[in-house]
Structures are given as C-alpha cells and as structure tokens.
C-alpha cells in the first residue's frame, strides 16, 4: 500500500510539474497586467502545433522545434498585447476588468476555431524527445515524461532567476506592485506589459510544445489545461509565482491521489477534473487571496 | 422612416429567399454523421466517402426510377442536439426522401425521434445502442449490430479465452456505458471477477488508475478499454508505458473503432503491438461477390482500407435505392414496406430486416452482422492483416502474450 | 424619435406574428431557436451590461431550468407547463446562491468562480448518467401533445415578449437604476443609500429565472438534453451575441442573437470558418465599438432621418 | 448647550499591522461645521469611512442621534441621514447627471417616482449651476463638475450630516469660491458638516471648530484661533 501511494505521488509530481509550466505564464501575466488571460489555453495549443509542424515538416530536432515554437508564440503574445490589451492601460476602455475578460475570451474562440480550420480536427502526436521507458523498482515511467519534468524545472528555475535576479525582473516586479510608482522611477510600464505578456505566452507555448509527445495535439487541447491553470493561480494566490508552483504540485497530487482514494472507486476518474474546480470554488469563497497571494488586487 | 420600412421588407425578403427549391428529377438521400469534433470525425469522414461511392455507382448504373440520386450530408458533430437539427434540415429544407448513416448512438437516439415524427425512413449504419431499434419505430432500420447482439459474442470470446479477472475503463458516454452493460451482464454468470471504472471523455491521464490495476493482486488478466478518440489512444499508450498491458500477465482490448484506423499507429507506435480489438469485417473471409470489388474501388479512390463502418454506410445507401426501386416511388410508407421485404446482397452477407418484436432490439434489425476479435502482431500493421482470434470457426491462432 | 421607435416596434411585432405564414417548417425552427437565444442573451445583458456582473454561469443556469423541468416531468408526470415554471424558480434559487456566494467577488474572480461552477455542474451531469442520461442524452417529453411547430413558435414568442416587457420595466424602473449604480461603483452607491447586497443578489435571481425559463422551453421543444448545453463555447456564443448587439441594450442583445443565429445558418457551408469569423467579429467589436454594432448603426440611421425630416419641414 | 448629533467614542481601526486610527473621540453638535485637518496618512479619510460605514471600527462606537451606527451597513447609515463625498470623485460615469441624482432620491423614498422627484433634482442642479448638464453622461463632465455633481447627489439624500472629503482638491479657484458659497448656504439652512481639507485657507475660514489628527491620533481640537496657536499642531505639520 505504501509503495502504491508513493508511486501515485510520483506520478502526481510529474503531472504537477507539467501544470506548473502553463500556470506560470498565466501568473506572470496576471502579476504585471492584472489580467486573467482566457486565451492562455489557445497559446498552449499553438505552441504544441508549431513545434509539431516544425519537427514534422521541416525536420527540426525536437528540442529545437520546442524552442522555435516558444519564440514564435512570444512574438504572437507581443502582437496580441499591442493590438488588444494596450487600450486597458491608455484609458481607452471604460470597464477595464470586463474588457480584458471578454477580449481574451473572444480571442480564445477565434484562435481555437482558426486552428480547427487551418490544422484540421485530427489528433496528432509530436515525436518523442527520448523514446522508451525507464524503470524504478516496480514503476516504469516513459522517458518523455521524465524529460518533460526536467525541462519544466529548467524553465521554472530560469523564470525565477530572471524575475528575481535581473534588471528586467526588477522592472516587472516594480510594475506588478505599483504601475505609477514604477513609471515615476523611470520604468516604462508599457514595455513591461509587452514583456510580461510575451513571456507568459511563451511559457504557455513551452507547456504545449512539451506536452505534445505525452498527451496529444488537437485544436481544443487547451480547454482543460487552461481551467487547471485557473485553479492553480487562484489556489496559489493570483500573481504569486512561488504560490503558483506550489499550487501546481498540490493539484497534481490531489488529482493523482484523489482519483484513486475517491470513496466510490468506480467514479473516481469521472470526477477527477472536478477536484481542482472544487478547490477553486472553496478558495475563492474562504480566502480569495489564495495560499500565497498578497492583497486582493483589482484593476484601477 | 421609409428606410426602416424598406429595411424590414428586405429582411423579410431575405428570409423568403431561403424557401427551398427542389430540383426536378433528382432524388435526394440524406446522410448524417460526425465530421468534426467532439464527434469521431475520422469515422464520419470515412462513412461519407463510402456513401459518395455508392451514389456514384447507382448513378453510373442509370439511377433510380429514371432519376439521378444525390447525397446531402450533414455534420452532426457527435452532439444529439445537432443530430436533431440535421435531420430537420435534411427532411424539411432539402426534402431528402430517406436518411442514412450516423456513428454515435446518442445522436442516433435523437435522430430516430425526428424520423418517426417527420415520417421519413432512416437506416442507421453504425450506431449500436440497443435502444435505437428497441423503440420499434416504424421508420427506423439498422444494419449495424445492436450492442447486445455483437458484444455477447465478444463476451463469449472472453469466457472461452479463460480470463478470470477483467478490469474495464469506460467513457461515461452513451457508447461506453452501453457496451459495459452488455459485457458485464454476460460475464457475471461465468464467474469472472469484474472491476469497472467510468471516466469523463476528456480525461488525458489514466496513469493513477492503471497503476492501481498494476499493483493489485492478482493482476488482472484483461484490461478492457471502452473509449473512443484520443482517450482510447492515450490509454493504450499509458498502459504500455507503465508496463501494465499488453504483458505476459495482462492482455489489453481496445474496443473503440479508432483502433482500426491507420492513425492509430502514428500515436501509439510500439504500444499498439499485441493490442486486441474488434471488427465487423475481416478480409480473409469471403462474404459475397460484391465485397472484393468494393474494397478495390474504395482503396483506389481514397487510398485507405475501408472499415466496416464504411461498408455499412455504403450498404445503407444501396438499400435505400433498392427499396425505392421495389416500391416504385419515394412515398415513405411504401418505402418502409419495401424495406421490410429486403433481401439484398450486401458486402458482408445477405441483408434482411427482422420483424421480431422480442428481444426488443431485434425489430427492423439485421440479425446477421458478423463480429470478429483480432490482435495486432506487428507495429504499423493494417487491421486486415491482424491475427484473427474469434469466432472459433475462422480463427487463425490463439492469443499471443508478449 | 419616440414615434419612430414605436413604429419600428410595431413593425417588428407584426412581422413576428405573421412569420409562420411566410415560412416553411425548417426556417421556423431556426427562428424558434433564435428566440431561445434572444431570451438568454437579453437576460445575460441585464445581468452583465446593466448590473455589471460578468457571470459565465448563464448557460449553466439555463441547464438548471432545463434539467429540473425535464426530470420532474419524467419522474412525476406533471405537466411540462408547471415543470417549466418550477424549473425557472429552481434556476432563480441557484442564482440566489451564486449571487450570495459571489458578493465579494469581482471582475476576473467572479468569472473564474462562475466558470468553475458551470464545469462542476457539467461534470456531475455527465458522471451521474443514471439519473441525468449523461452524454447519451435525456429524452424529454414534448411541451404539447399535438405535433405543431407553429404552436411552439407562438409560445416562445409570447414568452420572449413577456420577458422582454418585464425586463424593460426593470431596466427603466428604480431597480434598473440601482443595478447600474451598483455596476458603476458599489461603495458610492452604498453611501447614497443603495442596498448593494440586495440588488446584486436580486440581479442574479431575476436573470437566472429568465435563463431557467429559456432552458425549460428549449428542453421540451428540442426534446433531447445533454450536458453540452453548458459547455464554454455555448456561453461564448451568448456573450458574442450580447457584445455584438450592444452590451447596454436589451434590444441590441435580442438583435445580436437574431443576427448571429441567422448568420450561422446562412453561412452553414463555411463550417468552422463561421466561428473564426464570429470570434474575430467579437474581438473587433470589443476593441473598436464597445456599444456593439447594432446601436451605433441604428443611431446613425435615425439621426439622418431626423435631419431629413427637419429639412423637409 | 446645543444637542449633540454625532458622538464618536474611543474609535480604533487597524489595517493589518497598520493602525489608521487610535482611540479617537469627539462630538459634533447639531448644525455645526467641524473641520478636520492633519498631515497625509493621519487617518482623516479613514474617519469618514468609519462614520459612513465603509469600514467597521475594531473598537469603540459611533452614535448618531442616540443610535449606534458603527455596525450598520453604509446604505442604512445613508438612509438615516449621513451623506458624503469622496476625495477622488466617484460619480456614476455611464449614467446621466439626472440619473446620478435619482439614485439617492429613490433610495430614500420608498414610493417616490422619478417624475415626482424631478423638481427637487432640478432645483438642486440649478442651485449648483449645472442644470444645463442634466442629460450629459457622467464621464463627459469635467473634474470640477464632478465635484458639484457629487455634492448635488448628496443633497438629494437630504442628509442632516454631510461629510466632505477634500472638496477643494484640484478645483479651479472660481469654483472653489462657489463651493464655499454652497457650503455656507447649506450650513445656514441647518445642515451639519464634517469637512476634511488640506486647503488651510478654506478650512479655517469655513469651520466653526477644528480637530487635528496626526498618525491616527487626535492631537488637538478647538476653534480655528486656538488651533492656529497650538504648538503641537505646528509641530505635527512642520516638525521633521
């Protein structure tokens, strides 16, 4: 029994790391722009498709395909920010919060259907990073999952270092705490918006591109992960990067263990996706700031 | 002011323009099936191809009652409410004289209601739920097997193969639950231990449950995955990755039709070797003289092996044409009478429709649909080359355990 | 101006009343569904546009009404007429709970909460298929024993008109004024004597009732119910209708629902491309014309009209 | 001795670790005009937020005409006759001026219709000289007009006690004179005021009595003359 639970926990850890990558981008965007990006799942999906096509049609090696796809989606994010989100900060829109929700939601409808039209509905799978499986005691894990968890950790550490240690990170943090004060201190908040949205999109794309060989690629593949990311950012506290990483691991574990410890075993899997949502609802009701969030942020 | 009125008039006129104009001299046959997600569009597209082929052949042979036939196909997306709308559109807007097709039982279940209400013959090609014929509607016929009919034969194989503990993972849709029920009923009496889990269609990670099966003592003999689409492929892949199945201890049966498509291999790769699946057609067995020419033409035209779904779709269109010929008109009641007297040599035997009312699902059902259990023995193997295990009289060998 | 409005209204009403005589069954079906969406869109417009509560649970509330009504008829055998009304009240009750729970939540927090609620509800409907029919669908008894589309047409037309009259009354009364004050600034409204808690909850209750009513009718008209009516793309469609029609106008929302539903039907041959286009239209409308597309066009038309009137006099 | 309208006793308010108000007590008599001054962050706005119920005090009580109000919701306090304006104006931007005026009017009259309340609204708008703007949207008004509209809205509540939070901040000198005028006129008609302002000239000329806050504590109170001479006040403003 203990061995069994340890194995489940290990599986949950890997899944949690994968979740973290996508939620990290959402958190970064929220902390700087104070916007929940409802089109995040579509950026994730595009990341997966770009890397798939780069690998399949142009013969890019898998890791290079992932990196190129991340760069493409970074610039896509920049374009989206300039075209659609800029008005929120120039005072051109009346209801900022709601505008941001609706416009990103609209973008998600648009991008999802565009992908359906351009790429077709077929299910695809990216080539493996490293094929085969590795065994530990009685658990065998596919090499893809191991590689992806390792890469997820690399991306997360890189993000943390950039935000915590570099000049750009300082700017991002300053804007996330107080736009006006940052502007007075000589930081251009518009530039930081651009950077944060681009980087957030790139992280989503990284998630999607890495997932390609593990789960499959199809136009609506972002729908479920984006909801999981919502759960994570609420649980971790909107805008808190540390909280986001911890919440991802909690969610991964909760799903892995929860669905096998569910009282009615035959329906554990049927309710698996509800576990996280229940977290979200309860956290919002009892402690809207989440586990690590600072104060309740609302756009001014 | 004038402008507003003219605007209004324009609107009304625009609406009026859409009133259907039925082209003379063409008999329209409606087709329904999933062409886009969340439906199983791969199967739907294949069925549509096969229907088009049937239409071409009928017209090539001079049409029906001196008129050309045409196919109007509506995408039902695997959603019951879209099925209802599609039926209404086909019958009321396009004036289709009969409708054929459908892949998803849930959608078919909605469509038979409309067929019955609008009094239009509907031949269900590839939806298996018992209830579709069990409602015993006058205008509804089926050439696909009923779940009970087909899966009791699969259950016979499970019993004969000597499995003692069976675990099932079922998608909580019409399809999954229907199949699960039949198998469970059949195995209950044979003293086989069954564990059954249901799951959302959108689940991507089955690992926790598969791990549970792997750690259970004794390990199950057979993992029976009743899933379609991405879920089925992911389950096959993950069961193999964690070393649960197919292994020496545990065999794996992937029930969904996706296991027959060539796309199966792109996604599962190594994991697909030794997977068991079922089919309603196997080429080693000669059914009728029409079988081989059909397959040849289909392969030439579409560059792929037809599955039994394609065959059923093709047959359904031919049955409609046949019924119109014998009825001498497209009057729905005359067509129903003709259909009830059908003796049509199809691709997999002589098709007739039973008029028995017991068991319930037998009414307007073709009782003779064949069912086969096959096992892949090579990666990238077309299903037509897979090892045939069941029925016993045709079997080429016995279950291979890696 | 007022006369003009009245004239247009009369014109539209008589057109709606005469429609079944000018149209074959299939198009009538499309229009009936358009009325269903018009009711959903206008009530969401009241909730989001007027009261400022951007809830994503509206489709789920329609499902509450639909499933309550369908299950009641199937299990107790009461008449659908009563069950639809009970279903609407059930939706209003759920709206009450959501409104109460969401008192402290604004903007993205409210959106996330309501999305989570909808998803959980959908998952439960799927998982408890023994009771709800799950994906297999629930066969719902028809509203009328007699097979007549015209009967359904006039029923939903009546429901829609009645609901719009009630909603219009609300919008123009003190209730509507308070809704808008709460939307603009909760604290300021409270310091001016407005019971913010009460009106926020009331907005949810009233609009949920109409959503439930729409859902109940839909269930007994289409006769098949699956959890798909809650899916996020459904909510996206309602939002697109309201935004394109004009988020601060009931009439705009109704017009938006009509235009999108008819356009979706006309452009059927383009399949996915329709939704690409609608998504783009939604985004562009939001970005460049936050009052929607209908209202500005109408305004321009009537302005020109007034001018020509003045000139002619 | 005049009757006391508002009694604030030993009120304390903390936000997290920060103490915004510490043990503050004072009274306001009927028809008094009390000015409150103090450096930034001294707790002036918090005080108003406590009186009209946006925040609840951690300790102490607030009694308005023999009725404890510190546990009541803002809207109830407003209906009891306490109105306020905001430092940064908060007019309803997507509602017309007349609709802005109607919100408080309808909230206190249970049966009143908009038509019945119209003359009163027009009268107040005329008094404030913004009647020509009655159909304009809140968002299209200038900053000064926002100040006037906010005052007009408060008057529609017909409150006995009016709390003004920095009414002169960022206001054109001409308008400032007008505002002085309006406040005096209303005071003459029997309204009671608590006025917060950084504008020393205005507040000293308008107030009958002054209270001084510093770092959340009351450090002085008295007539404008007394305050002008108070060492502690000078210290608080000029010290370090």
């Amino acid at each position: 029994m203990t061995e069994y639970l340890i194995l489940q926990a290990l599986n949950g850890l890997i899944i949690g790391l994968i979740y973290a990558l996508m939620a990290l981008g959402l958190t970064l965007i929220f902390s700087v722009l104070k916007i929940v990006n409802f089109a995040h799942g579509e950026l994730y999906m595009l990341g997966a498709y770009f890397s798939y096509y780069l690998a399949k049609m142009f013969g890019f090696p898998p890791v290079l395909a992932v990196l190129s796809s991340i760069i493409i989606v970074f610039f896509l994010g920049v374009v989206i920010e300039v075209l659609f989100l800029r008005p929120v900060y120039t005072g051109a829109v009346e209801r900022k919060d709601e505008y941001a929700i609706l416009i990103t939601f609209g973008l998600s409808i648009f991008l999802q259907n565009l992908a359906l039209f351009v790429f077709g509905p077929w299910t695809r799978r990216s080539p493996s990073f490293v094929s085969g499986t590795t065994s530990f005691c009685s658990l065998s894990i596919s090499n893809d999952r191991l590689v992806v968890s390792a890469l997820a950790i690399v991306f997360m550490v890189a993000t943390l270092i950039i935000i915590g240690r570099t000049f750009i990170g300082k700017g991002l943090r300053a804007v996330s705490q107080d736009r006006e004060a940052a502007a007075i201190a000589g930081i251009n908040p518009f530039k930081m918006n651009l950077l944060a949205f681009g980087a957030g999109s790139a992280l989503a794309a990284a998630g999607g591109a890495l997932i390609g060989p593990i789960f499959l690629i199809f136009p609506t593949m972002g729908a479920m992960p984006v909801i999981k990311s919502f759960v994570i950012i609420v649980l971790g506290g909107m805008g808190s990067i540390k909280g986001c990483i911890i919440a991802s691991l909690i969610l991964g574990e909760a799903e892995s263990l929860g669905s096998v410890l569910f009282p009615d075993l035959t329906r554990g899997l049927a309710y698996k996706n509800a576990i996280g949502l229940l977290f979200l609802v309860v956290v919002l009701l009892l402690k809207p700031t989440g586990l690590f969030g600072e104060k309740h942020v609302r756009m001014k | 002011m004038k402008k507003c009125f003219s605007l209004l008039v324009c609107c009304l006129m625009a609406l009026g323009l859409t009133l259907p104009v039925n082209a003379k001299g063409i008999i329209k046959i409606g087709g329904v099936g999933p062409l886009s997600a969340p439906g199983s569009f791969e199967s739907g597209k294949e069925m549509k191809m096969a229907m088009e082929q049937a239409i071409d052949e009928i017209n090539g042979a001079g049409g029906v009652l001196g008129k050309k036939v045409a196919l109007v196909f509506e995408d039902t997306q695997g959603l019951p409410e879209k099925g209802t709308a599609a039926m209404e559109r086909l019958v009321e807007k396009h004036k289709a004289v009969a409708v054929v097709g459908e892949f998803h039982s849930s959608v078919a279940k909605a469509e038979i209601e409309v067929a019955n209400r609008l009094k239009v013959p509907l031949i269900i090609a590839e939806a298996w739920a018992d209830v579709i014929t069990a409602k015993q509607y006058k205008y509804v016929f089926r050439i696909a097997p009923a779940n009970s009919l087909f899966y009791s034969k699969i259950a016979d194989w499970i019993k004969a193969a000597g499995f003692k503990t069976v675990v099932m993972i079922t998608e909580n849709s019409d399809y999954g639950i229907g199949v699960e029920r039949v198998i469970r009923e059949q195995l209950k009496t044979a003293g086989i231990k069954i564990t059954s889990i249901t799951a959302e269609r959108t689940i991507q990670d089955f690992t926790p449950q598969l791990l549970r099966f792997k750690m259970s003592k004794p390990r199950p003999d057979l993992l029976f995955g009743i899933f379609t689409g991405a879920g089925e492929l992911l389950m096959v892949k993950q069961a193999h990755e964690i070393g649960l199945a197919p292994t020496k201890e545990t065999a794996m049966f992937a029930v969904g039709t996706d296991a027959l498509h060539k796309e199966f291999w792109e996604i599962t790769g190594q994991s697909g070797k030794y997977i068991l699946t079922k089919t309603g057609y196997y080429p080693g067995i000669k059914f009728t003289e029409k079988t081989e020419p059909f397959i040849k033409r289909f392969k030439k035209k579409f560059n792929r092996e037809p599955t039994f779904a394609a065959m059923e779709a093709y047959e359904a269109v031919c049955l409609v044409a046949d019924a119109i010929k014998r009825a001498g008109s497209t009057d729905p009641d005359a067509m129903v009478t003709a259909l009830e007297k059908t003796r049509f040599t199809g691709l997999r035997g002589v098709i007739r429709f039973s008029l028995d009312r017991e068991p319930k699902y037998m009414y307007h059902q073709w009782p003779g649909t064949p069912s086969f259990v096959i096992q892949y023995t090579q990666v990238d193997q077309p299903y037509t080359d897979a090892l045939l295990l069941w029925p016993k009289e045709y079997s080429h060998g016995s279950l291979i355990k890696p | 101006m007022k006369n003009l409005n009245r004239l247009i209204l009369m014109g539209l009403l008589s057109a709606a009343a005469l429609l079944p005589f000018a149209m074959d069954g299939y198009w009538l079906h499309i229009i009936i569904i358009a009325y269903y969406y018009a009711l959903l869109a206008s009530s969401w417009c009241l909730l989001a546009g007027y009261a400022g509560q951007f809830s994503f649970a509206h489709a789920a509330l329609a499902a509450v009404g639909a499933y309550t009504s369908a299950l009641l008829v199937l299990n107790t055998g009461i008449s659908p007429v009563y069950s639809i009304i009970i279903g609407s009240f059930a939706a209003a009750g759920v709206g009450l709970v959501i409104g109460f729970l969401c008192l402290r939540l604004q903007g993205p927090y409210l959106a996330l909460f309501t999305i989570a609620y909808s998803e959980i509800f959908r998952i439960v409907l799927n998982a408890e298929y023994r009771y709800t029919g799950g994906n297999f669908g629930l066969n719902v008894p028809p509203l009328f024993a007699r097979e007549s589309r015209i009967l359904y047409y006039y029923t939903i037309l009546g429901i829609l008109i009645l609901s719009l009259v009630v909603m219009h009354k609300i919008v123009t009364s003190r209730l509507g004024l308070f809704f808008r004050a709460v939307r603009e600034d909760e604290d300021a409204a409270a310091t001016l004597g407005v019971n913010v808690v009460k009106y926020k909850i009331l907005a949810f209750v009233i609009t949920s009732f109409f959503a439930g009513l729409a859902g109940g009718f839909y269930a007994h008209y289409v006769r098949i119910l699956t959890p798909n009516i809650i899916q996020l793309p459904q909510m996206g469609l309602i939002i697109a209708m309201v935004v394109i029609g004009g988020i601060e106008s009931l009439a705009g929302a109704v017009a938006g629902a009509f235009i999108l539903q008819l356009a979706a039907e006309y452009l059927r041959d383009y399949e996915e491309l329709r939704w690409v286009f609608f998504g783009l239209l939604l985004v562009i409308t939001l970005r460049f014309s936050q009052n929607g597309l209908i209202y500005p066009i109408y305004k321009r038309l009537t302005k020109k009209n007034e001018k020509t009137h003045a000139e002619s006099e | 001795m005049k009757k006391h309208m508002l009694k604030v006793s030993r009120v304390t308010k903390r936000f997290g670790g920060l103490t915004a108000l510490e043990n503050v007590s004072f009274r306001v008599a009927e028809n008094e005009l009390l000015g409150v001054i103090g450096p930034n962050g001294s707790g002036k706005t918090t005080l108003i937020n406590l009186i009209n119920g946006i925040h609840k005090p951690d300790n102490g009580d607030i009694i308005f005409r023999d009725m404890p109000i510190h546990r009541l919701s803002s809207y109830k306090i407003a209906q009891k006759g306490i109105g306020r304006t905001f430092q940064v104006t908060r007019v309803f931007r997507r509602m017309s001026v007349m609709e802005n005026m109607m919100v408080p009017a309808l909230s206190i009259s249970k049966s009143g219709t908009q038509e019945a309340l119209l003359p009163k609204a027009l009268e107040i708008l005329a008094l404030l000289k913004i009647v020509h703007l009655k159909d304009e949207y809140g968002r299209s008004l200038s900053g000064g007009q926002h100040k006037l509209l906010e005052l007009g809205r408060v008057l529609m509540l017909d409150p006995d006690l009016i709390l003004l939070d920095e009414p002169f901040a960022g206001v054109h000198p001409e308008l400032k004179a007008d505002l002085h005028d309006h406040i005096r006129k209303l005071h003459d008609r029997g309204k009671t005021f608590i006025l917060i302002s950084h504008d020393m000239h205005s507040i000293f000329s308008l107030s009958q009595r002054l209270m001084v806050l510093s770092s959340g504590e009351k450090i002085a109170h008295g007539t404008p003359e007394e305050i002008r001479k108070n060492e502690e006040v000078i210290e608080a403003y000029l010290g370090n």
Side-chain angles (χ1 to χ4, degrees), chain B residues 337-394:
Chain B
T337 316
L339 277 168
E340 285 180 343
K341 291 184 188 137
T342 296
R343 290 292 179 278
F344 181 81
T345 307
L347 304 172
R348 300 165 302 147
V350 177
I351 297 172
R352 66 179 182 87
F353 292 108
S354 157
L355 294 176
D356 297 345
R357 297 212 176 239
E358 204 57 51
K360 281 202 153 67
Y361 61 78
M362 262 311 186
Y363 188 70
H364 283 185
Q365 166 77 40
W366 178 31
T369 63
S371 49
F372 304 99
V373 175
I374 56 173
Q375 183 176 30
Y376 288 117
T377 54
Q378 300 284 324
V379 174
D380 283 336
Q381 188 172 43
Y383 83 95
T384 46
D385 295 345
L387 179 66
L388 180 61
L389 297 179
W390 190 260
K392 210 162 35 188
E393 57 267 36
Y394 302 119

Side-chain angles (χ1 to χ4, degrees), chain B residues 3-18, chain C residues 12 15 19 23 27 31 258-259 262 266:
Chain B
K3 219 168 218 160
C4 279
F5 264 121
S6 51
L7 213 83
L8 205 77
V9 173
C10 280
C11 282
L12 285 174
M13 268 167 58
L15 287 172
L17 276 180
T18 61
Chain C
L12 284 175
L19 213 57
M23 203 166 269
W27 278 96
I31 303 284
F258 247 82
I259 289 170
L262 291 182
Y266 269 109

Side-chain angles (χ1 to χ4, degrees), chain D residues 59 69 95 101 165 211 218:
Chain D
N59 252 323
I69 56 166
M95 292 166 71
M101 299 288 282
D165 194 352
M211 174 165 83
K218 176 174 149 185

Side-chain angles (χ1 to χ4, degrees), chain D residues 26-45:
Chain D
F26 64 93
R27 293 172 176 209
V28 184
E30 294 276 0
N31 198 21
E32 192 179 341
L33 208 164
L34 173 73
V36 180
I37 57 172
N40 275 332
S42 58
K44 302 184 300 287
T45 298

Side-chain angles (χ1 to χ4, degrees), chain C residues 88-105:
Chain C
S88 311
F89 278 106
V94 175
L96 178 85
V97 175
I98 293 180
F100 179 75
L101 292 178
C102 291
L103 275 177
R104 286 197 302 162
L105 304 178

